[in-house]
Amino acid sequence: MKKEFSLAFNEVLDDKQLPREVIVKAVQDALIQAYRKTVHASEAQLVEATIDENTGEVRIFAEKEVVEDVQEERTEVLLEEARKYDPNAELGDIVVVESTPDNFGRVAAQTARQMIQQRIREAERDAQKEYFSHLTGEIVNGIVQAANPHMITLALDRKAEGKMPRSQQIPGERFRVHDRVRALLLEIKDTTRGPEIILSRAHRDFLRRLLEDEVPEIYQGLVEIRSIAREPGYRSKVAVSALQSGIDPVGACVGVRGVRIQAIVRELHDEKIDVIEWNTDPAQFIAKALSPARVAGVYLDEAVDGNKTATVVVPEDQLSLAIGRDGQNARLAAKLTGWRIDIKSLTEAAADSLHEAQASAGFAKEHPDLVELLPQIEMVLGKKAEGRPITPEEYTLLSRFVDRLERGAQDRREAILDAQREERAAIEAQLPKAAFSILLEDLGLSPSLSMKISGEGYSTIGDLMLQLKLDSDQVLKIEGVGPAALAAIQEKLDAFVFPEPEPEPEPEPEPEPQAEALAEPEAVAVAEEPVVAARVAEAEDLEEDEKPSELTEEDEKLLAQMQGGDAPEVQVPPPSVEEVFARTEEQLLGKKGKKAGGKAAGPAPEPKKKAKKKRFRELDYDPNEDVTYVHRPGEWEED
């Protein structure tokens, strides 16, 4: 019995792939329910079950009252029996004692069999849901179990089943039983039969995950996928950008000789994939999104309400390529960029521009240089209408004409848009800031009216107030909102009290400069005083006739300061002493030498040194040049 139970228990664990605790808990719950059903125990009575995993022995413990005489075995127990489980038990206490019925194992096996299976299935479903919920949006592998025109059933890990509806399949793909398939785990639905796993191969995120698997630069974060537009089975467009300089995002996705993108194309049943580089300029981005068509010009029209339209002009031979089969290329480009794209041929755009120019009264004043071109443009368009060939120069003329007029119209639209934005910002500044953080439901309107207004994008009171200030007719266009409702809204707004804005904190004053920083120049001046004193002491050793006959004003101030005079203080930086004595030495050339035994330099007295010998200079006078020379050993120097 011991060996058989252990083998059966381990077999269940391996088969269901569930934790041991889950299986034990399911068996215990089933045994408790079997006991309640066997002895007709109340749900309010505490019942516990234990099972020995080695021997398979089952024991049931129930909550009972301690009494002197047992009249109801389901809820009462004798004092002696109770003290076997609780030595401190007394009459009237509630004690949990063993209450396993006779032959309960066989009875429980018959009664709890179905319940154990149900609990195990529930635990298995919960484990599957928890496991696959973390894989939502990721690619999973499965084996086809069944295929019909409406749905394909795949066997997944943990004995789960995934369903791929026909709408999530790539058109033209056919699968057979036992085929291995990769698909995107799209979502998990809760049903009465457990979680329902929905798979997809047609979703654009399936292409995104394939690119991440095949392109290491995307997985590592060096290249980013900006947007994806896809029509499964036919064509897809992917916009990528590099997050690090020196990386070609398109080349990284395509790979050497296209090996990376070809692997994805084969996985998607030969679906064509256009990889383009994302650009911050909408005009250039739209032009690249229409590839492989060549674009002559892109002209943007962006409204305040968020509607964005781009007029694209292409050459005659590129019109069908830009539109694509059944408009597929233009449709994908619009999805990729988020702009509504209106494609025109060059001659069609030129005809529209010519008509607008002829109908505009101020065209001659705005474009005086283009007035002379109107007859030529009309002649070229006439040749096109008659089917005669047009030269490349004439196409260039049409292109320049269209570009000038479209650029001018775009500039005017942008000026109007800027004015509308400034007006909107000025009105928004006059409204309370708190209004844009208060939900519309707090205004006190009727629930139906509040739902209608909120459905049009006015989520806060501030949004509604701003629209009423800008144009109240837009609110009246909402279905179910008439003049009476508008008056009620205005009445609610007038009576609504907005909280006062919190005062902004005052800026902290800047710290004042410290006194030590202000005292630094004085410290520098004092530090240089010993050097200056030494140089001045050497100057005092000179005889009266040897001292400089003329001193500069700076020298006099310096000498007066060092002698304790009342001369003004020397400014920092102090005058260079070397310069003073350089000038003094030049003035002393040709006179007597310095006296021997000058004072020692430095602030601290040093031991006396031998007196210096007097220096003598020999002077020679040249009467022809009227110049006196001072003779030094080895050289002649002019005084």
Side-chain angles (χ1 to χ4, degrees), residues 26-27 29-31 33-34 37 107-122:
V27 174
D29 292 342
L31 293 175
Q33 293 298 327
K37 187 175 181 180
V107 175
Q110 298 296 330
T111 307
R113 178 180 178 181
Q114 184 177 0
M115 189 174 297
I116 291 175
Q117 293 177 351
Q118 181 180 356
R119 291 299 178 88
I120 291 178
R121 282 196 300 267
E122 292 177 357

Side-chain angles (χ1 to χ4, degrees), residues 21-260:
E21 296 78 10
V22 174
I23 299 295
V24 172
K25 183 67 168 56
V27 174
Q28 289 176 350
D29 292 342
L31 293 175
I32 291 173
Q33 293 298 327
Y35 172 79
R36 294 185 187 278
K37 187 175 181 180
T38 302
V39 302
H40 305 286
S42 173
E43 294 291 338
Q45 185 180 8
L46 176 62
V47 179
E48 296 177 352
T50 62
I51 181 172
D52 191 337
E53 299 179 13
N54 295 323
T55 62
E57 182 182 358
V58 177
R59 300 178 64 186
I60 301 296
F61 295 86
E63 188 180 55
K64 296 183 180 182
E65 182 182 1
V66 181
V67 295
E68 293 181 356
D69 185 16
V70 176
Q71 297 182 0
E72 181 61 54
E73 293 184 357
R74 293 179 303 174
T75 59
E76 295 177 349
V77 64
L78 293 175
L79 180 60
E80 296 178 358
E81 185 70 17
R83 287 184 174 177
K84 293 180 182 179
Y85 302 95
D86 186 3
N88 299 324
E90 300 293 341
L91 293 175
D93 292 346
I94 302 298
V95 180
V96 177
V97 298
E98 183 177 358
S99 303
T100 307
D102 297 337
N103 299 327
F104 178 72
R106 183 179 301 176
V107 175
Q110 298 296 330
T111 307
R113 178 180 178 181
Q114 184 177 0
M115 189 174 297
I116 291 175
Q117 293 177 351
Q118 181 180 356
R119 291 299 178 88
I120 291 178
R121 282 196 300 267
E122 292 177 357
E124 192 174 7
R125 292 169 183 172
D126 293 340
Q128 290 177 356
K129 182 180 179 181
E130 183 179 359
Y131 175 77
F132 286 103
S133 61
H134 297 293
L135 297 178
T136 303
E138 301 294 337
I139 293 179
V140 295
N141 295 321
I143 299 176
V144 178
Q145 282 187 334
N148 57 61
H150 304 287
M151 185 177 298
I152 295 176
T153 303
L154 301 178
L156 306 177
D157 294 339
R158 293 183 176 254
K159 295 188 176 182
E161 290 185 355
K163 297 181 180 180
M164 188 187 303
R166 191 65 185 172
S167 60
Q168 300 298 332
Q169 300 176 25
I170 297 177
E173 278 190 331
R174 296 291 181 269
F175 296 106
R176 295 177 297 178
V177 179
H178 304 306
D179 286 348
R180 182 171 293 275
V181 180
R182 301 174 67 190
L184 179 77
L185 202 160
L186 189 60
E187 62 176 334
I188 299 178
K189 297 181 179 179
D190 288 331
T191 62
T192 55
R193 296 184 177 181
E196 183 179 2
I197 302 174
I198 306 299
L199 306 177
S200 174
R201 287 176 57 86
H203 200 273
R204 60 183 180 181
D205 285 345
F206 182 57
L207 175 57
R208 183 188 299 272
R209 294 292 178 257
L210 290 175
L211 285 168
E212 291 177 356
D213 290 345
E214 294 292 338
V215 183
E217 288 81 0
I218 297 178
Y219 182 78
Q220 296 171 2
L222 303 178
V223 176
E224 181 182 8
I225 300 176
R226 291 284 184 170
S227 59
I228 296 178
R230 185 184 179 200
E231 291 190 359
Y234 300 102
R235 197 181 197 93
S236 297
K237 289 182 180 289
V238 183
V240 294
S241 64
L243 300 181
Q244 184 175 335
S245 59
I247 295 179
D248 179 15
V250 177
C253 295
V254 174
V256 180
R257 298 182 181 179
V259 293
R260 294 179 177 177

Side-chain angles (χ1 to χ4, degrees), residues 518-551:
L518 298 176
E520 286 181 358
E522 297 181 3
V524 174
V526 173
E528 295 187 2
E529 283 183 4
V531 180
V532 178
R535 298 298 180 90
V536 175
E538 293 180 1
E540 290 177 349
D541 292 340
L542 298 176
E543 296 180 352
E544 294 296 328
D545 55 346
E546 293 178 342
K547 291 184 179 180
S549 58
E550 293 181 2
L551 294 176

Side-chain angles (χ1 to χ4, degrees), residues 182 210 214 254 258-268:
R182 301 174 67 190
L210 290 175
E214 294 292 338
V254 174
V259 293
R260 294 179 177 177
I261 202 68
Q262 286 301 323
I264 300 175
V265 169
R266 288 192 297 270
E267 178 67 32
L268 299 179

Side-chain angles (χ1 to χ4, degrees), residues 474-521:
Q474 294 295 329
V475 181
L476 288 174
K477 292 181 180 180
I478 300 175
E479 185 179 357
V481 179
L486 186 62
I489 292 172
Q490 192 63 48
E491 182 180 356
K492 292 288 186 180
L493 290 174
D494 295 339
F496 193 85
V497 179
F498 294 98
E500 296 182 0
E502 298 180 359
E504 298 181 359
E506 297 181 359
E508 298 181 359
E510 297 182 358
E512 298 181 356
Q514 300 179 358
E516 291 79 3
L518 298 176
E520 286 181 358

